[in-house]
Amino acid sequence: MVKLKSIGITLGLSVSLLLSGCGDEEGNQDSGNTTGESASLGEQLDYTITGIEPGAGLTGLSHNAIEEYENLEGWELLESSTAGMLGVLDGAIKNEEPIVITGWTPHWMFSAYDLKILEDPKGILGGSENINTIVRKGLEEDMPNAYKILDRFYWEAEDMEAVMYDAQEVSFEEAALNWIEANPDKVEQWTEGVEKVKGKEIELVSTPWDTERASGNVMKAVLEQQGFTVTLTPVDPAIMFEAIASGEGDATVAPWLPTTHNSFYEKHADDLVDLGENLKGTQNGFVVPAYMEIDSIEDLQPKK
């Protein structure tokens, strides 16, 4: 089997936001601790929403939201990286300054910070979603033991968040092993009655975000404990679907459906096998600190 090469995107972006308040006639600055009038909030943010990688499904949805919401006229999405977005978020929260980011749950940031997802009345960013397990055609015949484990794989949002949060202190590989050790009953539900193999090679394809680093490394470790030799390859979402559809990759536990990765899914649906949800209740959205006095995307005002 042709092995995929990890695709790394080096973003030469210096992530910055204008978070300071606007001066009044006497030169005094708004503290920025509260939103004040929505118009001044937009000015404090330079009418900018802090985003993540250009290839992310959430990035495309965010651009759509900016186009569809009339009150976001003049706003821009600053594409950066997940790490860049989290760094800007951390700095804003430490200073109790306003910020709007593209975010999703489950994610450890909701454990680390007091955040809220803004209401999305138009539903453009998607409501509650699922993460599915998708495999290449022929996997059930070629690797029935791995297929059975992948088909049984299911966990809760708090399981994924536990791995992600632990991985802020240790590697994702170690965090995955820690979670497996702490949850033997759940793992046994996936592996019960499945015979072990000796070094059978399997390639898991994932995306390079913490949610998928968590699920991918847990599945990698479980399969390795069953005797498989596992390669875990992080790629852009479009490449992930192409890999499974073409048979260059064996399986993925990363697709967000029915909204985030829907365009990729529809393009390749006839050439892959969908094993259904492995986690329910995910959500994308525009996210703000809880101290900000807005609750909906529609509370933001257009640029004057």
Side-chain angles (χ1 to χ4, degrees), residues 105-289:
T105 182
H107 193 282
W108 63 262
M109 62 181 160
F110 284 90
S111 298
Y113 308 113
D114 190 5
L115 304 172
K116 58 184 176 182
I117 298 177
L118 296 180
E119 295 173 6
D120 175 18
K122 294 181 181 289
I124 296 171
L125 296 170
S128 179
E129 289 196 276
N130 306 310
I131 305 179
N132 284 31
T133 299
I134 292 175
V135 303
R136 65 171 173 84
K137 287 186 173 181
L139 183 69
E140 185 175 13
E141 293 75 24
D142 296 342
M143 302 185 211
N145 296 348
Y147 182 94
K148 187 172 292 186
I149 294 170
L150 288 159
D151 193 26
R152 291 175 176 176
F153 174 51
Y154 184 85
W155 61 347
E156 305 292 340
E158 54 264 30
D159 296 315
M160 177 179 276
E161 286 188 343
V163 177
M164 294 163 67
Y165 197 67
D166 192 18
Q168 303 312 300
E169 301 295 332
V170 300
S171 69
F172 270 97
E173 292 83 358
E174 185 175 347
L177 290 172
N178 291 342
W179 184 89
I180 289 170
E181 183 178 356
N183 294 272
D185 293 342
K186 187 160 290 189
V187 175
E188 186 177 357
Q189 293 175 9
W190 310 337
T191 61
E192 184 179 6
V194 178
E195 294 184 3
K196 293 187 176 183
V197 300
K198 292 184 179 180
K200 182 72 173 179
E201 293 186 3
I202 184 170
E203 181 159 9
L204 301 179
V205 188
S206 190
T207 52
W209 294 289
D210 286 357
T211 41
E212 285 62 58
R213 288 189 180 101
S215 58
N217 278 284
V218 165
M219 181 51 60
K220 178 178 185 287
V222 169
L223 289 171
E224 286 177 339
Q225 291 177 356
Q226 293 297 115
F228 287 91
T229 298
V230 185
T231 301
L232 177 61
T233 305
V235 296
D236 182 89
I239 303 300
M240 175 178 69
F241 278 89
E242 290 176 7
I244 302 302
S246 67
E248 293 187 14
D250 294 305
T252 178
V253 294
W256 285 48
L257 296 169
T259 303
T260 304
H261 294 146
N262 183 59
S263 61
F264 308 128
Y265 181 86
E266 287 189 343
K267 181 178 179 181
H268 298 289
D270 293 338
D271 299 315
L272 47 79
V273 180
D274 187 352
L275 300 182
E277 303 94 346
N278 61 59
L279 186 149
K280 295 181 180 179
T282 66
Q283 186 175 355
N284 290 314
F286 290 163
V287 176
V288 301

Side-chain angles (χ1 to χ4, degrees), residues 23-45:
D24 58 24
E25 294 180 354
E26 297 179 357
N28 296 321
Q29 296 291 318
D30 188 330
S31 68
N33 289 343
T34 60
T35 64
E37 296 181 359
S38 295
S40 66
L41 172 61
E43 292 170 353
Q44 291 174 59
L45 295 173

